[in-house]
Amino acid sequence: MPQLDVQKTIEELTLGEKIDLVSGIDFWHTASVPRLNIPSVRMSDGPNGVRGTRFFNGVPAACFPCATALGATWDTELLHKVGQLMGEEAIAKGSHVILGPTINTQRSPLGGRGFESFAEDGVLSGHLAGHYSIGIQEKGVAACLKHFVCNDQEHERLAVDSILTERALREIYLMPFHHAMRICKTACVMTAYNKVNGTHVSENKKILTDILRKEWGWDGLVMSDWFGTYSTSESVIAGLDIEMPGKTRWRGDALAHAVSSNKVNEFVLDERVRNVLNLVNYVEPLGIPENAEEKILNRPEDQALLRRVAAESVVLMKNEDNILPFKKEKSIAVIGPNAKIAAYCGGGSASLDAYYTVTPFEGVSGQSKGEVQFSQGAYSHKDLPLIGNLLKTDDGKTGFKFRVYDEPASNANRELLHELYLVSSQGFLMDYRHPKIKSFLYYVDMEGFFTPEEDGIYDFGVVVVGTGKLLVDGELIVDNTKNQRLGSAFFGNGTVEEKGSKELKAGQTYKIVLQFGTAPTSDIDTRGVVIFGPGGFRFGAARRTTEEELISKAVELASKADQVVVFAGLTSEWETEGYDRPDMDLPPGTDEMISRVLDANPNAVVVIQSGTPVTMPWVSKTKSLLQAWFGGNEGGNGIADVLYGNVNPSAKLPLSFPVRLQDNPSYLNFRSERGRVLYGEDIYVGYRYYDKVNLPTLFPFGHGLSYTSFTRESLTLTTTPEQANLDDGEPITVTVTVTNTGSVAGAETLQLWVLPPPTEVNRPIRELKGFAKVRLEPGEQKTVEIVAEKKLATSWWDEKREKWASEKGEYEVQVTGTGEGVLKGKFEVEKTRYWNGL
Ligand code: BGC
C-alpha cells in the first residue's frame, strides 16, 4: 500500500470511520478503512519475545531472557542486537508493533512484574531501552515504551492511585522514559493502568500531552493498556489515541455522541486519528499483508545470540576459593527444583510458547564429560506441576484432547463445536476464537490417559478462570465450581488451586478428565483485576512425597560428589503479572534444602533463578553463588557456559538485593490501601536509599564478579563550556584506563556516578549518570570513554518553578567497576540554570 497523505485522508474520512480508527477491532489489531487504503495494524507482546496473535495454542517464538537479565548485561550494543532480532521475530509473526520494552521502576522486590523492567535506575533502564528500541525500529517495526507511568505494582493495578511528589515522578519514574526518548523516539507509548496523583494516566492530560508531547516534543501514538481506558471524552481530550483492545467499550457510539454534543471537538478527534495514520505510514514499508500468517524463524544464529545473552546476564555474586569455573572432566551432582524445569520467563503477557527450552540440567549434561547425577531436593512449584505432557490421548499421542461444547456434560445432546489436541495442561483462552463459538459461554472436556511409574497417593489440582471438575476414571477428585477464591494465576483472574487425591498403582492406566466451564459459569468476585475474555484452565498432579525424603536424598548425593550445583529459585507462577509476591522468600522447603546441602558439601555452588531479589538466609555458607534470572529459551546453556567457564561472567546487578524485605524503602507502602499507594520513600528508591541511610544490602546495585581481575586508573574529565542553547547538549566526558590483569579474557563495566554539592533540597549521595562496557584479553589495556549529559547529570526537579534546576557549584565524579576501588574527579557548573525538555 502507498503512504497515506495524512491530512487529505483525515479530510476524506467520515466521522464514523474516524471513530473506528481510534479503537482496536480485536485483541491485537486496529481497524482498516479499505475505501481509503488504510490497512489494519497488528500489535504483539512483548518485552522478551514476540508471541504473535495467540496466547492460547499459539505459534512458538524466540524467548529472550527477562528484562532484569538484560539489565544485568549493562550492554547497550548487545541490547541493540536483541532489539534487531525482536524486530525480525515481529515480522515473522506479521506484527507491525512490539508492545515493549517495559520500563517501569522496581520500587520493591515484590512487584509481580519486576522481572519485566530493566533496572531500579532510570539512566541504566533508559539507555538499555533506547538502544533496544533502536534495534526494533531499524527493522521497520514500531517499539512501544510501556507502561507510562508508575505502574510499579500489580495490586489493584487498574484502580490504584499512585501518590507521589513531582520530584519523584520526574527524577525516578519518568526518568527511564526520558532517557529512552532521548536515544530513540519510539513510534508508540502505552499508558499505565493506574492513576497518578488522582487521575488515571489514560485520561491524564498533564502526562500524555503536557509532558510527553509538548515538553518532550514526541509525536508518536499513545495506546491504552489492555482494558485500561476508563472514559470517552476525557481520554480523547487528554491525548489517548487508541483504546485497546477491541471491541471498544468507550468509543464507538459513545464517542460519536460526545462529538455530536461538542464534548469532544472534532479537531481534537482528528489529532487522535492523525497519530493512528502516522503509525500506519510508519509501518507501511514493512509490506506485511493483512491477516499475515504467523511463521517461525528459530535460525542457528538467533539461537547463538539467545545463548550469548543468557550467559552474559548471569551475575557471579560470590566465588570464594575460585570454586568456579567447574571442570568438565569431573563428575557433577545436579540438585534442586529448578534443575529439570526451564524457568525461561516470568508470567503474564510477557510469557510465550518458546521454540524450545533448555533446562539447567540439560545445559550441564551437554557440557560435562564426567558422570552427571541428579537429585530433586525440593519442589519450586506453587501449584501442582502441569500433567499434560505425562498424558496420552486415546490414539496414543502425548497430551490430551480438548473438546469444546455448547452445553455442559449433563446435557447428553450437546453439540461438539471444535476439537483440538494439546500438550500443555494450562491455557488462557483470551484470544481463542472459532466460527462456531458465538459467545464467551462454552464448555470444554479435556481427556487424557495417565499411567503412573510409581505406586502412591497422587495429588491433583485445578485452577480455573471459570469452573472445573477433575475426574479420575469417572470419580470426582477435584471440584472447583463452588466457594471459589481469587488467586494469582491468569493475571490475577484465576482461582486458588483446589486439590484432591487418589491412590494410584504403577503401570495401571487411568482416564483423566477435566470438565471445564468458561468464565461466565463462575460467580467469583473479580473486582480490582482486569477481566480477560472467556477464561482459562490449569490442571496438575504429583505423587505425594515428604520434604524430608527429598532433602535427605539430596544431602546424601552432595556429600559424596566431586562437584555440586544447586539450581533453585522462582518460576512464572511466583513472579507474574496481576499479582505481587507476599514475601521475598524462595518456595517452601528450598532454604532448608540449600542450607543442608551446603552443610554436607561446603563447595556446592548455588544458582538462583528469579526475576527480582529473593532472601538468602544461607548466603554466608555459600562460597560460590550465581544469579541467573529467567534466562529465555537458551537459559540452561547460558548458565552452563558460565559454570564451565566458556563464558567469563561480566553481568552486574541492575537492582539492589536487600538483606531483608523490611530494609526495602517501599516496605511500608507497597500495596493499594483504600485505593491508593503512597510512594513514601520519595526519590530514595533502591541504591539511593541504601546509600543515604548507610544500610548494608545483601548485594548492592552494580555488584558482579569475574573470573579475571581488572585495574582502573588515570581518570580524565572534560566538560564543554555551558551554552545558552541547551538543546545542543553539553557532554561531560570521562576517560579511564582499564587493564585486564588476570589470565582469562573478560568484560569490565564502568559506572559513572555524580555527587552533587550540598543544596537547598535533600539529594541522593550519588546517582548513576553513565556507564560503559569493555572487553579485554588477558593483559590488554584500553582507554574507555563514558559520556553523560551535563544538564541531566546535575539537575533536580524544582517543584516551585516546575523546571529542572542545574545548580552552580562543584560536582564530584566517581568511577567504579568490578571489585573495590573508586576513581574520582570534579567539574564545575558555573551558573545556575532552570530548564525544561528532554
Ligand atoms: C499488559 C500489557 C500487555 C497487554 C497485552 C496487559 O495486561 O499490562 O503490558 O501489552 O496486556 O497483552
Side-chain angles (χ1 to χ4, degrees):
M1 293 233 184
Q3 288 271 308
L4 302 167
D5 177 336
V6 171
Q7 185 53 37
K8 186 162 167 283
T9 309
I10 292 175
E11 285 159 17
E12 287 172 5
L13 282 164
T14 64
L15 179 61
E17 287 166 341
K18 288 179 188 175
I19 288 172
D20 286 348
L21 285 172
V22 295
S23 50
I25 50 166
D26 62 15
F27 242 82
W28 309 114
H29 297 90
T30 66
S32 63
V33 182
R35 179 178 81 81
L36 296 173
N37 288 330
I38 305 173
S40 165
V41 170
R42 180 179 287 176
M43 308 172 174
S44 179
D45 283 313
N48 47 231
V50 186
R51 187 179 53 243
T53 64
R54 295 205 314 261
F55 254 105
F56 177 65
N57 203 21
V59 178
C63 187
F64 294 84
C66 69
T68 42
L70 297 176
T73 69
W74 293 62
D75 191 337
T76 51
E77 276 173 38
L78 190 60
L79 272 272
H80 181 188
K81 290 196 171 73
V82 169
Q84 288 174 325
L85 179 50
M86 287 280 293
E88 290 169 8
E89 283 278 312
I91 295 166
K93 296 286 179 285
S95 185
H96 305 93
V97 180
I98 291 179
L99 303 173
T102 309
I103 44 172
N104 294 111
T105 302
Q106 293 93 347
R107 286 185 61 224
S108 162
L110 303 183
R113 292 181 94 171
F115 70 88
E116 249 190 76
S117 294
F118 297 111
E120 70 184 23
D121 177 89
V123 168
L124 177 56
S125 180
H127 276 77
L128 296 175
H131 289 274
Y132 174 96
S133 302
I134 290 178
I136 292 174
Q137 299 206 151
E138 270 173 8
K139 298 289 172 184
V141 174
C144 180
L145 299 179
K146 70 186 187 183
H147 309 88
F148 194 65
V149 58
C150 292
N151 183 175
D152 310 305
Q153 70 177 37
E154 296 305 286
H155 185 221
E156 295 188 352
R157 59 183 173 151
L158 298 191
V160 69
D161 188 5
S162 299
I163 297 183
L164 72 169
T165 63
E166 286 297 311
R167 261 194 87 186
L169 179 64
R170 296 288 185 148
E171 294 182 29
I172 304 294
Y173 299 96
L174 285 173
M175 196 49 83
F177 295 90
H178 190 142
H179 275 285
M181 284 291 188
R182 282 170 55 85
I183 295 166
C184 175
K185 293 250 164 80
T186 56
C188 303
V189 164
M190 184 191 291
T191 56
Y193 278 125
N194 47 284
K195 298 178 190 172
V196 170
N197 292 333
T199 309
H200 275 109
V201 180
S202 58
E203 55 196 55
N204 196 317
K205 184 161 177 294
K206 176 181 154 189
I207 289 177
L208 299 186
T209 298
D210 300 346
I211 297 178
L212 181 60
R213 292 196 187 279
K214 294 193 181 150
E215 210 182 305
W216 291 0
W218 177 81
D219 62 359
L221 173 131
V222 179
M223 69 181 79
S224 71
D225 198 346
W226 269 228
F227 306 112
T229 308
Y230 314 104
S231 63
T232 302
S233 311
E234 291 88 335
S235 76
V236 174
I237 293 167
L240 180 72
D241 297 315
I242 282 208
E243 174 195 350
M244 284 303 288
K247 301 210 163 48
T248 179
R249 295 178 176 190
W250 293 99
R251 298 193 168 182
D253 288 348
L255 183 52
H257 195 54
V259 175
S260 310
S261 54
N262 272 347
K263 278 206 80 170
V264 173
N265 288 313
E266 191 164 349
F267 64 83
V268 174
L269 173 61
D270 287 350
E271 288 315 298
R272 306 287 78 82
V273 173
R274 184 184 306 282
N275 294 329
V276 175
L277 298 181
N278 283 339
L279 178 68
V280 169
N281 274 345
Y282 184 90
V283 297
E284 178 275 329
L286 287 168
I288 294 175
E290 280 192 82
N291 300 316
E293 189 196 338
E294 297 181 48
K295 302 199 179 104
I296 56 171
L297 287 183
N298 201 12
R299 302 166 296 202
E301 63 272 27
D302 304 343
Q303 298 171 0
L305 178 66
L306 289 163
R307 180 168 180 162
R308 176 179 161 202
V309 182
E312 293 191 8
S313 72
V314 174
V315 183
L316 181 61
M317 310 274 264
K318 287 180 86 174
N319 197 21
E320 287 163 23
D321 303 338
N322 294 329
I323 302 241
L324 286 176
F326 282 141
K327 308 261 176 309
K328 290 185 182 170
E329 297 68 37
K330 287 191 179 176
S331 66
I332 185 163
V334 177
I335 292 172
N338 283 44
K340 286 201 173 181
I341 54 172
Y344 66 100
C345 72
S349 59
S351 64
L352 50 85
D353 289 337
Y355 290 136
Y356 62 95
T357 55
V358 182
T359 65
F361 180 82
E362 288 163 345
V364 168
S365 306
Q367 297 200 35
S368 173
K369 299 197 175 81
E371 190 190 0
V372 184
Q373 284 182 292
F374 170 73
S375 180
Q376 181 70 34
Y379 282 103
S380 65
H381 53 255
K382 188 171 184 187
D383 294 328
L384 289 161
L386 295 176
I387 191 184
N389 60 342
L390 303 180
L391 301 180
K392 293 264 186 257
T393 59
D394 45 12
D395 41 9
K397 284 199 263 182
T398 299
F400 59 96
K401 294 274 175 69
F402 178 93
R403 298 192 179 106
V404 186
Y405 297 93
D406 57 343
E407 294 281 337
S410 52
N411 182 344
N413 299 322
R414 60 188 183 154
E415 188 193 348
L416 177 64
L417 305 176
H418 190 200
E419 179 168 310
L420 281 171
Y421 151 73
L422 300 179
V423 175
S424 172
S425 56
Q426 167 166 287
F428 199 24
L429 302 166
M430 62 157 87
D431 42 24
Y432 168 59
R433 301 280 177 273
H434 186 270
K436 283 192 175 167
I437 300 173
K438 304 281 188 235
S439 81
F440 280 177
L441 177 62
Y442 52 91
Y443 301 83
V444 188
D445 276 9
M446 295 167 230
E447 180 196 277
F449 295 85
F450 177 51
T451 312
E453 285 175 3
E454 287 175 273
D455 288 348
I457 296 177
Y458 282 73
D459 291 315
F460 292 85
V462 174
V463 177
V464 278
V465 183
T467 49
K469 283 182 179 173
L470 188 129
L471 301 98
V472 177
D473 280 351
E475 182 189 345
L476 179 63
I477 302 295
V478 184
D479 184 355
N480 190 346
T481 60
K482 293 185 280 287
N483 305 322
Q484 294 176 306
R485 293 162 294 155
L486 216 50
S488 58
F490 301 115
F491 300 73
N493 285 211
T495 63
V496 168
E497 182 178 55
E498 295 300 338
K499 290 189 199 148
S501 60
K502 185 172 168 64
E503 187 147 6
L504 305 183
K505 289 260 162 272
Q508 191 171 322
T509 298
Y510 299 86
K511 179 162 135 184
I512 313 288
V513 175
L514 178 72
Q515 292 177 343
F516 169 69
T518 52
T521 65
S522 161
D523 54 11
I524 199 166
D525 182 350
T526 51
R527 261 173 291 183
V529 298
V530 196
I531 306 302
F532 281 107
F537 60 89
R538 182 191 192 289
F539 57 110
R543 188 179 149 268
R544 201 178 285 175
T545 156
T546 67
E547 212 172 284
E548 188 51 43
E549 184 187 330
L550 292 169
I551 295 180
S552 5
K553 282 187 191 159
V555 163
E556 200 195 320
L557 179 64
S559 61
K560 292 187 299 212
D562 264 355
Q563 303 183 118
V564 179
V565 57
V566 181
F567 292 105
L570 304 175
T571 62
S572 58
E573 285 185 274
W574 299 93
E575 287 191 76
T576 184
E577 179 175 340
Y579 180 77
D580 297 315
R581 278 192 289 156
D583 55 50
M584 230 173 79
D585 299 340
L586 288 170
T590 306
D591 286 332
E592 165 88 5
M593 182 273 290
I594 297 177
S595 188
R596 282 172 55 188
V597 166
L598 285 166
D599 288 340
N601 190 332
N603 290 339
V605 172
V606 180
V607 181
I608 297 296
Q609 287 187 283
S610 67
T612 49
V614 294
T615 38
M616 304 182 191
W618 33 261
V619 75
S620 58
K621 291 190 198 172
T622 49
K623 292 187 185 165
S624 190
L625 171 69
L626 298 178
Q627 173 63 29
W629 319 104
F630 300 134
N633 51 307
E634 280 284 344
N637 281 333
I639 295 171
D641 283 341
V642 169
L643 288 173
Y644 283 113
N646 307 343
V647 171
N648 182 356
S650 61
K652 310 279 173 214
L653 290 179
L655 305 167
S656 312
F657 276 47
V659 177
R660 313 173 307 156
L661 178 63
Q662 290 89 327
D663 294 348
N664 182 265
S666 71
Y667 178 68
L668 296 176
N669 296 293
F670 194 73
R671 50 181 263 121
S672 172
E673 290 186 351
R674 313 288 301 156
R676 57 90 169 142
V677 56
L678 182 67
Y679 282 34
E681 70 283 10
D682 200 30
I683 53 171
Y684 296 99
V685 172
Y687 70 81
R688 287 169 172 80
Y689 172 76
Y690 299 111
D691 280 356
K692 192 81 175 179
V693 299
N694 197 13
L695 184 68
T697 51
L698 192 61
F699 296 101
F701 175 79
H703 172 75
L705 306 175
S706 166
Y707 295 152
T708 188
S709 51
F710 302 99
T711 58
R712 301 177 288 278
E713 60 203 334
S714 316
L715 181 144
T716 71
L717 191 154
T718 48
T719 56
T720 51
E722 287 147 34
Q723 302 162 1
N725 181 3
L726 285 165
D727 291 343
D728 290 349
E730 295 170 1
I732 306 166
T733 308
V734 174
T735 67
V736 168
T737 303
V738 185
T739 312
N740 179 348
T741 50
S743 55
V744 285
E748 169 68 312
T749 299
L750 297 179
Q751 294 135 351
L752 172 73
W753 307 87
V754 172
L755 290 73
T759 179
E760 198 189 325
V761 295
N762 230 323
R763 297 191 69 178
I765 290 176
R766 55 173 200 162
E767 291 181 284
L768 185 80
K769 297 296 174 182
F771 58 95
K773 191 158 185 173
V774 58
R775 280 159 225 287
L776 297 161
E777 292 301 316
E780 196 184 2
Q781 187 171 74
K782 279 186 187 162
T783 298
V784 184
E785 191 177 88
I786 321 171
V787 183
E789 223 283 322
K790 192 167 182 180
K791 68 180 199 293
L792 257 179
T794 51
S795 292
W796 53 278
W797 181 256
D798 183 343
E799 293 177 354
K800 278 194 181 162
R801 285 192 164 80
E802 296 192 10
K803 282 184 185 332
W804 290 103
S806 167
E807 284 186 314
K808 176 177 160 49
E810 189 177 69
Y811 291 73
E812 185 176 320
V813 158
Q814 295 187 350
V815 173
T816 56
T818 307
E820 302 292 306
V822 180
L823 295 176
K824 294 184 181 171
K826 285 188 191 328
F827 70 91
E828 282 283 331
V829 168
E830 279 124 35
K831 63 177 192 336
T832 300
R833 288 173 308 170
Y834 302 99
W835 60 278
N836 279 114
L838 265 187

